[in-house]
Amino acid sequence: MFPEIKITKTTNPRKKPEAGQPLPFGKNFSDHMFVMDYVNGQGWINPRIIPYGPFEIEPSAMVFHYGQAVFEGMKAYLCDDKSINLFRPKLNYERMNTSNDRLVIPHVDVDFCVHATKTLIELDKDWIPSGNGESLYIRPFVIATDPYLGVRASDTYRFFILLSPSGAYYAKGIQPVKIYVEDKYVRAVRGGTGFTKCSGNYACSLIAQTTAHDAGYEQVLWLDGVEQKYIEEVGAMNIMFVIDGKLVTPSLDSGSILSGITRRSCIEIAKSLGIEVDERKISIGELIEAGKNGSLTECFGCGTAAVVSPVGELKYEDTVISINDGKIGTLTQKFYDTITGIQSGKVEDTYSWITKI
Ligand SMILES: *Cc1c(COP(=O)(O)O)cnc(C)c1O
């Protein structure tokens, strides 16, 4: 039995985005949010659903000073039969606990968090947009709340789940992106926090993102933080290649790469298609060489937001390589169609990835 979630419904419903209009990512929030508190000695207490809105927190709260904060990201999809699909939500809360361990934040109860997510979505289900490719983005997060300026782990925390109706990532069709191989800044180092979704990782990646944008590139490709030689991730997505017909992706053992649920799903699909999967170190030198000799036929980023994001061009120092003539590859398209098909209920879920609401 789960603890009871106390529900306080809004008396002042928020304005829903208009159907048929462009729906920006992450700007609209549903009527309600889920909240619970952690107090050392008592555990997670007072689970509740309350109207979405500002809340009070002391300016001395530790999250503002030492950045003890982690988050997750997943989506709910409205099917044609009006049922609601969640895609592998347990994995998100298990990963939140992996992040929590690293940031010395207490574990959440995975099954209870899935239950809380379902309860909140059930209440705000009219906020799930129904247009092609649209979904309800789900943002769970935890912050440290002790009013204290000493550096230590907080004794109190607050956990939230927000819901944000979001538009199709590819409103204008899938466009391969140009990426810039970052050779100055690094995102994560061995022994650091790269394998977690902690807020600080994103703060420290902004400078490279900004520089790449200014140079006309959409994303940065991150190299490892030790030798700046091995490929890690692209933007806030995992990266995959098709080289000599094999699916090749950086292995996770460096501890500086986030273990993506989309990454894992692509690997599982590839294996079930009989495609060889190679999780290993890939140096930028090997990649440039594979690009030049033609054995690199596909390259894409993968993550919840885009599902897949094909890479058409890659710039490293003075070398520019074009991949698959700047078009989406066959296998990339297959992953996209399979995953989005299962998410939207249009393709049979032979992997048992869907949790129904
Ligand atoms: C969230 C994230 C991913 C993708 O993970 P998914 O579970 O597939 O959404 C990859 N890399 C980074 C750095 C991320 O933050």
Side-chain angles (χ1 to χ4, degrees):
M1 271 303 283
F2 295 124
E4 191 199 343
I5 300 173
K6 187 165 174 270
I7 299 178
T8 309
K9 286 192 184 165
T10 183
T11 51
N12 188 12
R14 299 166 62 83
K15 195 170 170 294
K16 289 200 181 65
E18 261 177 68
Q21 292 300 309
L23 190 51
F25 172 78
K27 287 195 172 172
N28 295 285
F29 298 96
S30 74
D31 278 327
H32 300 92
M33 60 184 181
F34 174 87
V35 187
M36 61 182 175
D37 300 307
Y38 183 89
V39 178
N40 215 357
Q42 295 180 57
W44 289 104
I45 55 169
N46 197 11
R48 57 205 185 271
I49 290 175
I50 57 175
Y52 174 89
F55 61 95
E56 283 206 336
I57 184 168
E58 297 207 31
S60 57
M62 292 180 79
V63 64
F64 297 129
H65 307 277
Y66 310 120
Q68 237 189 327
V70 309
F71 69 94
E72 270 302 327
M74 62 186 135
K75 287 174 172 180
Y77 310 83
L78 191 65
C79 304
D80 289 342
D81 66 2
K82 301 290 174 226
S83 65
I84 301 161
N85 281 354
L86 288 173
F87 187 71
R88 318 187 80 177
K90 252 183 108 142
L91 295 182
N92 288 91
Y93 289 112
E94 284 168 1
R95 185 170 66 191
M96 176 175 259
N97 279 339
T98 304
S99 301
N100 286 1
D101 281 341
R102 180 64 179 79
L103 277 282
V104 200
I105 295 172
H107 273 196
V108 292
D109 180 317
V110 169
D111 291 324
F112 178 65
C113 286
V114 172
H115 167 71
T117 307
K118 288 172 151 182
T119 308
L120 179 64
I121 294 173
E122 180 69 44
L123 182 66
D124 277 354
K125 60 177 180 286
D126 293 347
W127 284 84
I128 310 177
S130 57
N132 200 11
E134 294 179 341
S135 60
L136 186 70
Y137 185 78
I138 304 161
R139 168 53 57 88
F141 66 105
V142 191
I143 54 170
T145 50
D146 275 10
Y148 180 57
L149 295 183
V151 180
R152 59 151 171 79
S154 182
D155 286 330
T156 58
Y157 296 88
R158 194 166 288 172
F159 170 97
F160 297 81
I161 306 172
L162 310 181
L163 303 178
S164 176
S166 294
Y169 191 89
Y170 292 115
K172 298 189 193 103
I174 300 184
Q175 310 275 346
V177 295
K178 286 166 66 177
I179 61 175
Y180 179 86
V181 183
E182 177 58 56
D183 56 2
K184 181 176 173 195
Y185 302 107
V186 297
R187 192 191 84 91
V189 294
R190 195 190 304 150
T193 55
F195 67 101
T196 74
K197 267 181 130 67
C198 74
S199 304
N201 286 349
Y202 304 84
C204 76
S205 73
L206 297 175
I207 188 164
Q209 188 68 43
T210 310
T211 316
H213 272 174
D214 292 348
Y217 290 83
E218 279 119 303
Q219 291 283 356
V220 295
L221 182 81
W222 296 105
L223 298 178
D224 75 276
V226 180
E227 296 176 71
Q228 287 188 270
K229 179 175 167 193
Y230 295 102
I231 288 162
E232 299 226 308
E233 302 202 53
V234 55
M237 285 185 281
N238 293 112
I239 190 157
M240 299 207 155
F241 308 97
V242 180
I243 302 175
D244 287 326
K246 281 187 215 166
L247 186 68
V248 184
T249 190
S251 44
L252 302 176
D253 43 25
S254 65
S256 43
I257 296 176
L258 197 282
S259 173
I261 294 160
T262 319
R263 175 187 183 277
R264 177 167 166 171
S265 305
C266 289
I267 290 173
E268 289 171 27
I269 294 170
K271 287 186 175 162
S272 78
L273 293 172
I275 291 161
E276 204 176 316
V277 180
D278 217 357
E279 291 181 66
R280 61 171 170 86
K281 279 185 170 218
I282 309 150
S283 73
I284 184 68
E286 175 193 343
L287 190 72
I288 298 286
E289 188 50 40
K292 285 183 176 163
N293 71 22
S295 55
L296 171 67
T297 50
E298 302 187 33
C299 171
F300 62 97
C302 58
T304 296
V307 181
V308 300
S309 174
V311 174
E313 186 185 308
L314 207 133
K315 178 178 160 64
Y316 176 60
E317 296 175 339
D318 296 328
T319 310
V320 175
I321 58 172
S322 162
I323 302 157
N324 199 33
D325 288 330
K327 295 192 302 281
I328 183 168
T330 324
L331 204 54
T332 312
Q333 184 76 52
K334 176 82 186 163
F335 292 134
Y336 183 78
D337 293 343
T338 307
I339 294 174
T340 56
I342 290 173
Q343 288 169 336
S344 64
K346 292 188 171 75
V347 168
E348 194 196 341
D349 176 24
T350 51
Y351 302 90
S352 303
W353 284 341
I354 295 301
T355 296
K356 279 276 177 202
I357 300 185

